[in-house]
Amino acid sequence: WGYFVQAGFVPVPTFEVSARWGQLRPLRGTDPSFVHQRELGLGVGWYPKAHDLKLQGDVFWLPVGERFDVGTM
């Protein structure tokens, strides 16, 4: 099972900032290669022609074997 939480903010009508956090937790008996994972992301969006045209980009951190990683259950 898994989930994510996402929020965005539009400080001016043509610009948006967003953030997302999520995690996946394998159920018992699942394939052992499927491990507990988390993600943290930031994104930006630009609306040069209102909602008719949007350019966006994001970056995500998917830690493996670091302090942010919770390991296996």
Side-chain angles (χ1 to χ4, degrees):
W1 62 278
Y3 61 91
F4 69 88
V5 177
Q6 180 171 314
F9 176 66
V10 181
V12 295
T14 59
F15 187 73
E16 176 183 25
V17 179
S18 61
R20 185 168 96 178
W21 181 84
Q23 73 173 331
L24 296 171
R25 293 177 149 281
L27 299 173
R28 293 184 191 270
T30 304
D31 182 348
S33 66
F34 184 53
V35 296
H36 187 174
Q37 300 174 12
R38 290 184 177 178
E39 66 179 22
L40 178 63
L42 298 172
V44 293
W46 176 49
Y47 299 85
K49 297 197 179 273
H51 281 279
D52 293 335
L53 177 62
K54 178 182 181 181
L55 300 174
Q56 67 182 36
D58 59 30
V59 61
F60 277 85
W61 181 40
L62 305 170
V64 176
E66 297 181 22
R67 287 180 46 186
F68 190 71
D69 185 19
V70 295
T72 59
M73 292 177 61

Coordinates of all heavy atoms in Angstrom, one line a residue:
W1 N 0.8 -1.2 0.0 CA 0.0 0.0 0.0 C 0.9 1.2 0.0 O 2.1 1.2 0.3 CB -1.0 0.0 1.2 CG -0.4 0.0 2.5 CD1 0.2 -1.1 3.2 CD2 -0.2 1.1 3.4 NE1 0.7 -0.7 4.4 CE2 0.5 0.6 4.6 CE3 -0.4 2.4 3.3 CZ2 0.8 1.5 5.6 CZ3 -0.1 3.2 4.3 CH2 0.5 2.8 5.5
G2 N 0.3 2.4 -0.3 CA 1.1 3.6 -0.3 C 0.2 4.8 -0.4 O -1.0 4.7 -0.5
Y3 N 0.8 5.9 -0.3 CA 0.1 7.2 -0.3 C 1.0 8.3 -0.6 O 2.2 8.2 -0.5 CB -0.7 7.5 1.0 CG 0.2 7.6 2.2 CD1 0.7 8.8 2.6 CD2 0.6 6.5 2.9 CE1 1.6 8.9 3.7 CE2 1.5 6.6 4.0 CZ 1.9 7.8 4.4 OH 2.8 7.9 5.5
F4 N 0.5 9.5 -1.0 CA 1.3 10.7 -1.1 C 0.4 11.9 -0.7 O -0.8 11.9 -0.8 CB 1.9 10.9 -2.5 CG 0.9 11.2 -3.6 CD1 0.6 12.5 -3.9 CD2 0.4 10.2 -4.4 CE1 -0.3 12.8 -4.9 CE2 -0.5 10.4 -5.4 CZ -0.8 11.7 -5.7
V5 N 1.1 12.9 -0.3 CA 0.5 14.2 0.1 C 1.1 15.3 -0.8 O 2.4 15.3 -0.9 CB 0.7 14.5 1.6 CG1 0.2 15.9 2.0 CG2 0.2 13.4 2.5
Q6 N 0.3 16.1 -1.4 CA 0.8 17.1 -2.3 C 0.1 18.4 -2.0 O -1.1 18.4 -1.8 CB 0.6 16.7 -3.7 CG 1.1 17.6 -4.8 CD 1.0 17.1 -6.2 OE1 1.4 15.9 -6.4 NE2 0.5 17.9 -7.1
A7 N 0.9 19.5 -2.1 CA 0.3 20.8 -1.9 C 1.0 21.8 -2.9 O 2.2 21.6 -3.2 CB 0.6 21.3 -0.5
G8 N 0.2 22.8 -3.3 CA 0.8 23.8 -4.2 C 0.3 25.2 -3.8 O -0.6 25.4 -3.0
F9 N 1.1 26.1 -4.2 CA 0.8 27.5 -3.9 C 1.0 28.4 -5.1 O 2.0 28.2 -5.8 CB 1.8 28.0 -2.7 CG 1.7 29.4 -2.4 CD1 0.5 29.9 -1.8 CD2 2.7 30.3 -2.6 CE1 0.4 31.2 -1.5 CE2 2.6 31.6 -2.3 CZ 1.4 32.1 -1.7
V10 N 0.1 29.3 -5.4 CA 0.2 30.2 -6.5 C 0.4 31.6 -6.0 O -0.6 32.3 -5.7 CB -1.1 30.1 -7.4 CG1 -1.0 31.0 -8.6 CG2 -1.3 28.6 -7.8
P11 N 1.7 32.1 -5.9 CA 1.9 33.4 -5.4 C 1.5 34.6 -6.3 O 1.1 35.6 -5.9 CB 3.4 33.5 -5.1 CG 4.0 32.4 -6.0 CD 2.9 31.4 -6.2
V12 N 1.6 34.3 -7.6 CA 1.1 35.2 -8.7 C 0.4 34.4 -9.7 O 0.6 33.2 -9.8 CB 2.3 36.0 -9.3 CG1 2.9 36.9 -8.3 CG2 3.3 35.1 -9.9
P13 N -0.5 35.0 -10.5 CA -1.3 34.2 -11.4 C -0.6 33.3 -12.4 O -1.1 32.4 -13.0 CB -2.2 35.2 -12.1 CG -2.3 36.4 -11.2 CD -0.9 36.4 -10.5
T14 N 0.7 33.6 -12.7 CA 1.4 32.9 -13.7 C 2.5 31.9 -13.2 O 3.2 31.4 -14.0 CB 2.1 33.9 -14.7 OG1 3.0 34.7 -14.0 CG2 1.1 34.7 -15.4
F15 N 2.5 31.7 -11.9 CA 3.6 30.9 -11.3 C 3.1 30.1 -10.2 O 2.3 30.5 -9.4 CB 4.7 31.9 -10.8 CG 5.9 31.1 -10.3 CD1 6.8 30.6 -11.2 CD2 6.2 31.0 -8.9 CE1 8.0 29.9 -10.7 CE2 7.3 30.4 -8.5 CZ 8.2 29.8 -9.4
E16 N 3.5 28.8 -10.1 CA 3.1 27.9 -9.1 C 4.3 27.2 -8.5 O 5.2 26.8 -9.2 CB 2.1 26.9 -9.7 CG 1.6 25.8 -8.7 CD 0.7 24.8 -9.4 OE1 0.8 24.6 -10.6 OE2 -0.1 24.2 -8.7
V17 N 4.2 26.9 -7.2 CA 5.2 26.1 -6.5 C 4.5 25.0 -5.8 O 3.4 25.2 -5.3 CB 6.0 27.0 -5.4 CG1 7.0 26.2 -4.7 CG2 6.6 28.2 -6.0
S18 N 5.1 23.8 -5.9 CA 4.4 22.6 -5.3 C 5.5 21.7 -4.6 O 6.6 21.8 -4.8 CB 3.7 21.8 -6.3 OG 4.6 21.4 -7.3
A19 N 4.9 20.9 -3.7 CA 5.8 19.9 -2.9 C 5.0 18.7 -2.8 O 3.7 18.7 -2.7 CB 6.2 20.5 -1.6
R20 N 5.7 17.5 -2.7 CA 5.0 16.2 -2.6 C 5.9 15.3 -1.7 O 7.1 15.3 -1.8 CB 4.8 15.6 -3.9 CG 4.0 14.3 -3.8 CD 3.5 13.8 -5.1 NE 4.4 12.8 -5.7 CZ 4.2 12.2 -6.8 NH1 3.2 12.5 -7.6 NH2 5.1 11.3 -7.3
W21 N 5.2 14.6 -0.8 CA 5.9 13.5 0.0 C 5.0 12.3 -0.1 O 3.8 12.3 0.0 CB 6.0 14.0 1.5 CG 6.6 13.0 2.3 CD1 8.0 12.9 2.5 CD2 6.0 12.0 3.1 NE1 8.3 11.9 3.4 CE2 7.1 11.3 3.8 CE3 4.7 11.6 3.4 CZ2 6.8 10.3 4.7 CZ3 4.5 10.6 4.2 CH2 5.5 9.9 4.8
G22 N 5.7 11.2 -0.2 CA 4.9 9.9 -0.3 C 5.7 8.7 0.1 O 7.0 8.8 0.3
Q23 N 5.1 7.6 0.3 CA 5.8 6.4 0.6 C 5.0 5.2 0.2 O 3.8 5.2 0.0 CB 6.1 6.3 2.1 CG 4.9 6.0 3.0 CD 5.3 5.8 4.5 OE1 6.5 5.3 4.7 NE2 4.5 6.1 5.4
L24 N 5.7 4.1 -0.1 CA 5.2 2.8 -0.4 C 5.6 1.8 0.6 O 6.8 1.7 1.0 CB 5.7 2.3 -1.8 CG 5.3 3.2 -3.0 CD1 6.1 2.8 -4.2 CD2 3.8 3.1 -3.2
R25 N 4.7 1.0 1.1 CA 5.0 0.0 2.1 C 4.5 -1.4 1.6 O 3.3 -1.6 1.4 CB 4.3 0.3 3.4 CG 4.8 1.5 4.1 CD 3.9 1.7 5.3 NE 4.7 2.3 6.4 CZ 5.5 1.8 7.3 NH1 5.8 0.5 7.2 NH2 6.0 2.4 8.3
P26 N 5.4 -2.3 1.3 CA 5.0 -3.6 0.8 C 4.2 -4.4 1.9 O 4.5 -4.3 3.1 CB 6.3 -4.3 0.5 CG 7.3 -3.7 1.3 CD 6.8 -2.2 1.5
L27 N 3.2 -5.2 1.4 CA 2.5 -6.1 2.3 C 3.4 -7.3 2.6 O 4.2 -7.7 1.8 CB 1.2 -6.5 1.7 CG 0.2 -5.3 1.4 CD1 -1.0 -5.8 0.7 CD2 -0.2 -4.6 2.7
R28 N 3.1 -8.0 3.7 CA 3.8 -9.2 4.0 C 3.6 -10.2 2.9 O 2.4 -10.3 2.4 CB 3.4 -9.8 5.4 CG 3.8 -8.9 6.5 CD 3.5 -9.5 7.8 NE 3.6 -8.6 8.9 CZ 4.8 -8.4 9.6 NH1 5.8 -9.1 9.3 NH2 4.8 -7.5 10.6
G29 N 4.6 -11.0 2.6 CA 4.4 -12.0 1.5 C 4.6 -11.4 0.1 O 4.5 -12.2 -0.9
T30 N 4.9 -10.2 0.0 CA 5.2 -9.5 -1.3 C 6.6 -9.9 -1.8 O 7.4 -10.3 -1.0 CB 5.0 -8.0 -1.2 OG1 3.8 -7.7 -0.6 CG2 5.2 -7.3 -2.5
D31 N 6.8 -9.8 -3.1 CA 8.1 -10.0 -3.6 C 9.2 -9.3 -2.8 O 9.1 -8.1 -2.5 CB 8.1 -9.5 -5.1 CG 9.4 -9.7 -5.8 OD1 10.4 -10.1 -5.2 OD2 9.5 -9.5 -7.0
P32 N 10.2 -10.0 -2.3 CA 11.2 -9.4 -1.5 C 12.0 -8.2 -2.1 O 12.6 -7.4 -1.4 CB 12.2 -10.5 -1.1 CG 11.7 -11.7 -1.7 CD 10.5 -11.4 -2.5
S33 N 12.0 -8.1 -3.4 CA 12.7 -7.0 -4.1 C 11.9 -5.7 -3.9 O 12.4 -4.6 -4.2 CB 12.9 -7.3 -5.5 OG 11.7 -7.3 -6.2
F34 N 10.6 -5.8 -3.5 CA 9.8 -4.6 -3.3 C 10.0 -4.2 -1.8 O 9.5 -4.8 -0.9 CB 8.3 -4.9 -3.6 CG 7.4 -3.7 -3.5 CD1 7.7 -2.6 -4.2 CD2 6.3 -3.8 -2.7 CE1 6.8 -1.5 -4.1 CE2 5.4 -2.7 -2.6 CZ 5.7 -1.6 -3.3
V35 N 10.7 -3.1 -1.6 CA 11.0 -2.6 -0.2 C 10.3 -1.3 0.1 O 9.8 -0.6 -0.8 CB 12.5 -2.5 0.0 CG1 13.3 -3.8 -0.2 CG2 13.1 -1.5 -1.0
H36 N 10.3 -1.0 1.4 CA 9.7 0.3 1.8 C 10.4 1.4 1.2 O 11.7 1.5 1.3 CB 9.8 0.3 3.3 CG 9.0 1.5 3.9 ND1 8.9 1.6 5.3 CD2 8.4 2.5 3.4 CE1 8.2 2.7 5.5 NE2 7.9 3.3 4.4
Q37 N 9.7 2.3 0.5 CA 10.3 3.5 -0.2 C 9.6 4.7 0.2 O 8.4 4.7 0.4 CB 10.3 3.3 -1.7 CG 11.0 2.0 -2.2 CD 10.7 1.8 -3.6 OE1 10.3 2.7 -4.3 NE2 11.1 0.7 -4.1
R38 N 10.4 5.8 0.2 CA 9.8 7.2 0.4 C 10.3 8.1 -0.7 O 11.3 7.8 -1.4 CB 10.2 7.7 1.7 CG 9.6 7.0 2.9 CD 10.0 7.7 4.2 NE 9.3 7.1 5.3 CZ 9.5 7.4 6.5 NH1 10.3 8.4 6.9 NH2 8.8 6.8 7.5
E39 N 9.6 9.2 -0.9 CA 10.0 10.2 -1.9 C 9.6 11.6 -1.4 O 8.7 11.8 -0.6 CB 9.3 10.0 -3.3 CG 7.8 10.2 -3.2 CD 7.1 10.0 -4.5 OE1 7.7 9.3 -5.4 OE2 6.0 10.5 -4.7
L40 N 10.5 12.5 -1.8 CA 10.3 13.9 -1.4 C 10.5 14.7 -2.7 O 11.6 14.6 -3.3 CB 11.2 14.3 -0.3 CG 11.2 15.8 0.1 CD1 9.8 16.1 0.7 CD2 12.3 16.1 1.1
G41 N 9.6 15.6 -3.1 CA 9.7 16.3 -4.3 C 9.3 17.7 -4.3 O 8.5 18.1 -3.4
L42 N 9.9 18.5 -5.1 CA 9.6 20.0 -5.3 C 9.3 20.2 -6.8 O 10.0 19.7 -7.6 CB 10.7 20.8 -4.8 CG 11.0 20.7 -3.3 CD1 12.3 21.5 -3.0 CD2 9.9 21.2 -2.5
G43 N 8.4 21.1 -7.1 CA 8.1 21.4 -8.4 C 7.7 22.9 -8.6 O 7.4 23.6 -7.7
V44 N 7.8 23.3 -9.9 CA 7.5 24.7 -10.2 C 6.7 24.6 -11.5 O 6.9 23.7 -12.4 CB 8.7 25.7 -10.4 CG1 9.4 25.9 -9.1 CG2 9.6 25.2 -11.4
G45 N 5.7 25.5 -11.7 CA 5.0 25.6 -12.9 C 4.9 27.1 -13.3 O 4.8 28.0 -12.5
W46 N 4.9 27.3 -14.6 CA 4.8 28.6 -15.2 C 3.6 28.6 -16.2 O 3.6 27.7 -17.1 CB 6.1 29.0 -15.8 CG 6.1 30.4 -16.5 CD1 5.6 31.6 -16.0 CD2 6.6 30.7 -17.8 NE1 5.8 32.6 -16.9 CE2 6.4 32.0 -18.1 CE3 7.2 29.9 -18.8 CZ2 6.7 32.6 -19.3 CZ3 7.5 30.5 -20.0 CH2 7.3 31.9 -20.2
Y47 N 2.7 29.6 -16.1 CA 1.6 29.7 -17.0 C 1.7 30.9 -17.9 O 1.2 32.0 -17.6 CB 0.3 29.8 -16.2 CG 0.0 28.7 -15.3 CD1 0.5 28.6 -14.0 CD2 -0.9 27.7 -15.7 CE1 0.2 27.5 -13.2 CE2 -1.2 26.6 -14.9 CZ -0.6 26.5 -13.6 OH -0.9 25.5 -12.8
P48 N 2.5 30.9 -19.0 CA 2.7 32.1 -19.8 C 1.4 32.6 -20.5 O 1.3 33.7 -20.9 CB 3.8 31.6 -20.8 CG 3.7 30.2 -20.9 CD 3.2 29.7 -19.5
K49 N 0.5 31.7 -20.8 CA -0.8 32.0 -21.4 C -2.0 31.5 -20.6 O -2.8 30.8 -21.1 CB -0.9 31.5 -22.8 CG 0.2 32.1 -23.7 CD -0.2 31.8 -25.2 CE 0.9 32.4 -26.1 NZ 0.6 33.8 -26.4
A50 N -2.0 31.9 -19.3 CA -3.0 31.4 -18.4 C -3.0 29.9 -18.4 O -2.0 29.3 -18.4 CB -4.4 32.0 -18.7
H51 N -4.2 29.3 -18.3 CA -4.3 27.8 -18.3 C -4.3 27.2 -19.7 O -4.4 26.0 -19.9 CB -5.5 27.4 -17.6 CG -5.4 27.4 -16.1 ND1 -4.7 26.5 -15.4 CD2 -5.7 28.4 -15.2 CE1 -4.7 26.8 -14.1 NE2 -5.3 28.0 -14.0
D52 N -4.1 28.0 -20.8 CA -4.0 27.5 -22.1 C -2.6 26.8 -22.4 O -2.4 26.0 -23.2 CB -4.2 28.6 -23.2 CG -5.7 29.0 -23.1 OD1 -6.6 28.2 -22.7 OD2 -5.9 30.2 -23.6
L53 N -1.6 27.3 -21.6 CA -0.2 26.8 -21.8 C 0.5 26.7 -20.4 O 0.5 27.8 -19.7 CB 0.6 27.6 -22.8 CG 2.0 27.2 -23.0 CD1 2.1 25.8 -23.6 CD2 2.7 28.3 -23.9
K54 N 1.0 25.6 -20.1 CA 1.7 25.5 -18.8 C 3.0 24.7 -19.0 O 3.0 23.7 -19.7 CB 0.9 24.7 -17.8 CG 1.6 24.4 -16.5 CD 0.8 23.6 -15.5 CE 1.5 23.4 -14.2 NZ 0.7 22.6 -13.3
L55 N 4.1 25.3 -18.5 CA 5.4 24.6 -18.5 C 5.7 24.3 -17.1 O 5.6 25.1 -16.2 CB 6.5 25.5 -19.1 CG 6.2 26.0 -20.5 CD1 7.3 27.0 -20.9 CD2 6.2 24.8 -21.5
Q56 N 6.1 23.0 -16.8 CA 6.4 22.6 -15.4 C 7.6 21.7 -15.4 O 8.0 21.1 -16.3 CB 5.2 22.0 -14.8 CG 4.8 20.6 -15.4 CD 3.6 20.1 -14.7 OE1 2.7 20.8 -14.4 NE2 3.5 18.8 -14.6
G57 N 8.2 21.7 -14.2 CA 9.3 20.8 -13.9 C 9.3 20.4 -12.5 O 8.8 21.1 -11.6
D58 N 10.0 19.3 -12.2 CA 10.1 18.9 -10.8 C 11.3 18.1 -10.6 O 12.0 17.7 -11.5 CB 8.8 18.1 -10.3 CG 8.6 16.9 -11.1 OD1 9.5 16.3 -11.6 OD2 7.4 16.5 -11.2
V59 N 11.7 18.0 -9.3 CA 12.8 17.2 -8.9 C 12.4 16.4 -7.7 O 11.7 16.8 -6.8 CB 14.1 18.1 -8.6 CG1 13.8 19.0 -7.5 CG2 15.3 17.2 -8.4
F60 N 12.9 15.1 -7.6 CA 12.5 14.2 -6.6 C 13.7 13.6 -5.9 O 14.7 13.3 -6.6 CB 11.6 13.1 -7.0 CG 10.2 13.5 -7.1 CD1 9.7 14.1 -8.2 CD2 9.3 13.3 -6.0 CE1 8.4 14.5 -8.3 CE2 8.0 13.7 -6.1 CZ 7.5 14.3 -7.2
W61 N 13.7 13.4 -4.6 CA 14.7 12.7 -3.9 C 14.1 11.3 -3.5 O 13.1 11.3 -2.8 CB 15.1 13.5 -2.7 CG 16.2 12.9 -1.8 CD1 17.3 12.2 -2.3 CD2 16.3 12.9 -0.4 NE1 18.1 11.8 -1.3 CE2 17.5 12.2 -0.1 CE3 15.5 13.4 0.6 CZ2 17.9 12.0 1.2 CZ3 15.9 13.2 1.9 CH2 17.1 12.5 2.2
L62 N 14.8 10.3 -4.0 CA 14.3 8.9 -3.6 C 15.5 8.2 -2.9 O 16.3 7.6 -3.5 CB 14.0 8.1 -4.9 CG 13.0 8.8 -5.8 CD1 12.9 8.1 -7.2 CD2 11.6 8.8 -5.2
P63 N 15.6 8.4 -1.6 CA 16.7 7.9 -0.8 C 16.8 6.4 -0.7 O 15.7 5.8 -0.6 CB 16.6 8.6 0.5 CG 15.1 8.8 0.7 CD 14.6 9.1 -0.7
V64 N 18.0 5.9 -0.8 CA 18.1 4.4 -0.7 C 19.3 4.2 0.2 O 20.4 4.7 -0.1 CB 18.4 3.7 -2.0 CG1 18.7 2.3 -1.8 CG2 17.2 3.9 -2.9
G65 N 19.1 3.6 1.4 CA 20.2 3.3 2.3 C 20.7 4.5 3.0 O 21.8 4.4 3.6
E66 N 20.0 5.6 3.1 CA 20.4 6.7 3.8 C 19.5 6.9 5.1 O 18.5 6.1 5.3 CB 20.3 8.0 3.0 CG 21.2 7.9 1.8 CD 21.1 9.1 0.9 OE1 20.7 10.2 1.4 OE2 21.5 9.1 -0.3
R67 N 19.7 7.9 5.9 CA 18.9 8.1 7.1 C 17.5 8.3 6.8 O 16.6 7.9 7.6 CB 19.4 9.3 7.8 CG 20.8 9.0 8.5 CD 21.3 10.2 9.2 NE 20.2 10.8 10.1 CZ 20.3 11.9 10.7 NH1 21.4 12.6 10.7 NH2 19.3 12.4 11.5
F68 N 17.1 8.8 5.7 CA 15.7 9.1 5.3 C 15.0 7.7 5.0 O 13.8 7.6 5.1 CB 15.7 10.0 4.1 CG 14.3 10.5 3.7 CD1 13.7 11.4 4.6 CD2 13.7 10.1 2.6 CE1 12.4 11.9 4.2 CE2 12.4 10.6 2.3 CZ 11.8 11.5 3.1
D69 N 15.8 6.7 4.6 CA 15.2 5.4 4.3 C 14.9 4.7 5.6 O 15.7 4.6 6.5 CB 16.3 4.6 3.5 CG 15.7 3.3 3.0 OD1 14.5 3.1 2.9 OD2 16.6 2.4 2.7
V70 N 13.7 4.1 5.6 CA 13.3 3.4 6.9 C 13.6 1.9 6.8 O 13.4 1.2 7.8 CB 11.8 3.6 7.2 CG1 11.5 5.0 7.4 CG2 10.9 3.1 6.0
G71 N 14.1 1.4 5.7 CA 14.5 0.0 5.6 C 13.3 -0.9 5.4 O 12.2 -0.5 5.0
T72 N 13.5 -2.2 5.7 CA 12.4 -3.2 5.5 C 11.6 -3.3 6.8 O 12.0 -2.9 7.9 CB 13.0 -4.5 5.1 OG1 13.9 -4.9 6.2 CG2 13.7 -4.5 3.8
M73 N 10.4 -3.8 6.6 CA 9.5 -4.0 7.8 C 9.8 -5.3 8.5 O 10.2 -6.2 8.0 CB 8.0 -4.0 7.3 CG 7.6 -2.6 6.8 SD 6.0 -2.6 6.1 CE 5.0 -3.0 7.5

